[in-house]
């Protein structure tokens, strides 16, 4: 977490909720170290901030991932409508926002930036429900829905990717970060150095 929130000159103050975030730990601890994770990044596009879910950059492809999770063994009934229905034997039915809206928006952002920076990396879009079930026979061809039945196989397959970091992967990460919002401050030691340099500049004849 410290490595991901700091550079040589700057550092960010990380919200404490991230240290307790199970989903973030899931990506950082259970996938190969060669995977790069953008967790809930905020993109600045046309002066408007857009927060997305998770972008996972592997050495061979980029995954746009939206979670769809609730109580254990919840069932989500999908449709082309704006809302889906979550069903559970212990709770009343509940409407949830159609996750395809979020994953498609994320995919479009990544696709546009990859095209702009000439990044040659396949883009995959996923709705992920690790502890529940998704019933949506009409899933678009370019979106994968992974639920309790299909998630384990995908997870194990991802964990077996042993390829080292690739140039296109790093190029893709750089392209995305160029448009991400960063909230940081100059490290005190650099700030001191800058002030001293400015002071010397003013003293010069």
């Amino acid at each position: 977490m410290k490595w991901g929130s700091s550079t040589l000159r700057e550092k960010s103050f990380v919200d404490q909720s991230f240290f307790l975030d199970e989903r973030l730990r899931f990506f950082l601890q259970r996938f190969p170290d060669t995977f790069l994770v953008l967790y809930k990044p905020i993109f600045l596009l046309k002066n408007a901030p857009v927060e997305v879910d998770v972008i996972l950059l592997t050495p061979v492809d980029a995954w746009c991932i939206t979670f769809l999770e609730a109580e254990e063994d919840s069932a989500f009934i999908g449709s082309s409508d704006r809302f889906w229905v979550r069903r559970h034997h212990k709770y009343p039915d509940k409407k949830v926002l159609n996750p395809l809206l979020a994953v498609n928006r994320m995919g479009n952002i990544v696709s546009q930036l990859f095209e702009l920076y000439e990044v040659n990396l396949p883009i995959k879009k996923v709705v992920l429900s690790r502890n529940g079930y998704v019933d949506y026979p009409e899933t678009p061809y370019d979106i994968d829905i992974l639920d309790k039945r299909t998630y384990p196989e995908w997870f194990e397959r991802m964990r077996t990717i042993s390829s080292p970091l690739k140039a296109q992967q790093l190029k893709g990460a750089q392209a995305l970060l160029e448009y991400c919002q960063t909230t940081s401050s100059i490290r005190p030691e650099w700030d001191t150095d800058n002030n001293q340099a400015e002071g010397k500049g003013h003293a010069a004849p």
Side-chain angles (χ1 to χ4, degrees):
M1 187 73 75
K2 182 178 180 181
W3 177 85
S5 61
S6 61
T7 66
L8 179 64
R9 290 179 57 91
E10 302 178 15
K11 67 177 181 178
S12 299
F13 295 95
V14 181
D15 191 296
Q16 289 300 306
S17 63
F18 285 112
F19 290 93
L20 304 174
D21 193 313
E22 180 275 329
R23 291 176 180 175
L24 179 55
R25 290 202 308 271
F26 167 70
F27 286 108
L28 296 183
Q29 296 178 354
R30 306 196 66 189
F31 287 91
D33 291 339
T34 53
F35 287 18
L36 306 176
V37 182
L38 278 75
Y39 189 75
K40 296 184 178 180
I42 298 176
F43 288 97
L44 298 176
L45 305 170
K46 297 181 180 178
N47 298 321
V50 179
E51 181 175 337
V52 300
D53 294 324
V54 180
I55 301 172
L56 187 66
L57 296 170
T58 81
V60 295
D61 46 26
W63 294 81
C64 299
I65 302 173
T66 290
F67 280 90
L68 182 65
E69 295 180 347
E71 298 82 8
E72 187 75 22
D73 291 331
S74 291
F76 297 91
I77 312 303
S79 70
S80 58
D81 298 334
R82 181 170 176 78
F83 292 95
W84 288 11
V85 177
R86 183 226 64 193
R87 289 180 178 165
H88 193 279
H89 64 281
K90 290 185 179 180
Y91 305 98
D93 289 0
K94 180 181 178 180
K95 286 185 177 181
V96 296
L97 189 64
N98 185 338
L100 303 188
L101 301 176
V103 77
N104 275 324
R105 178 178 60 182
M106 187 165 27
N108 288 337
I109 291 173
V110 174
S111 178
Q112 290 174 21
L113 293 179
F114 277 11
E115 183 176 354
L116 179 64
Y117 286 86
E118 298 182 344
V119 177
N120 184 23
L121 203 62
I123 299 171
K124 308 289 184 66
K125 295 185 290 186
V126 170
V127 174
L128 179 59
S129 182
R130 297 168 297 172
N131 65 348
Y133 302 92
V134 180
D135 182 13
Y136 186 30
E138 300 175 5
T139 305
Y141 73 93
D142 60 341
I143 295 179
D144 291 320
I145 291 184
L146 302 173
D147 63 8
K148 204 168 181 178
R149 295 164 294 193
T150 54
Y151 155 71
E153 180 183 350
W154 172 83
F155 178 60
E156 290 304 322
R157 188 170 71 249
M158 295 289 283
R159 282 165 57 89
T160 60
I161 296 177
S162 58
S163 177
L165 286 164
K166 295 289 185 68
Q168 286 297 313
Q169 177 190 13
L170 295 174
K171 187 177 180 181
Q174 181 63 36
L176 299 178
L177 290 173
E178 286 290 335
Y179 280 81
C180 279
Q181 175 178 296
T182 300
T183 304
S184 63
S185 58
I186 298 291
R187 291 180 179 275
E189 57 267 31
W190 282 95
D191 202 27
T192 300
D193 291 344
N194 288 338
N195 289 336
Q196 290 176 349
E198 290 174 3
K200 292 178 181 178
H202 291 313

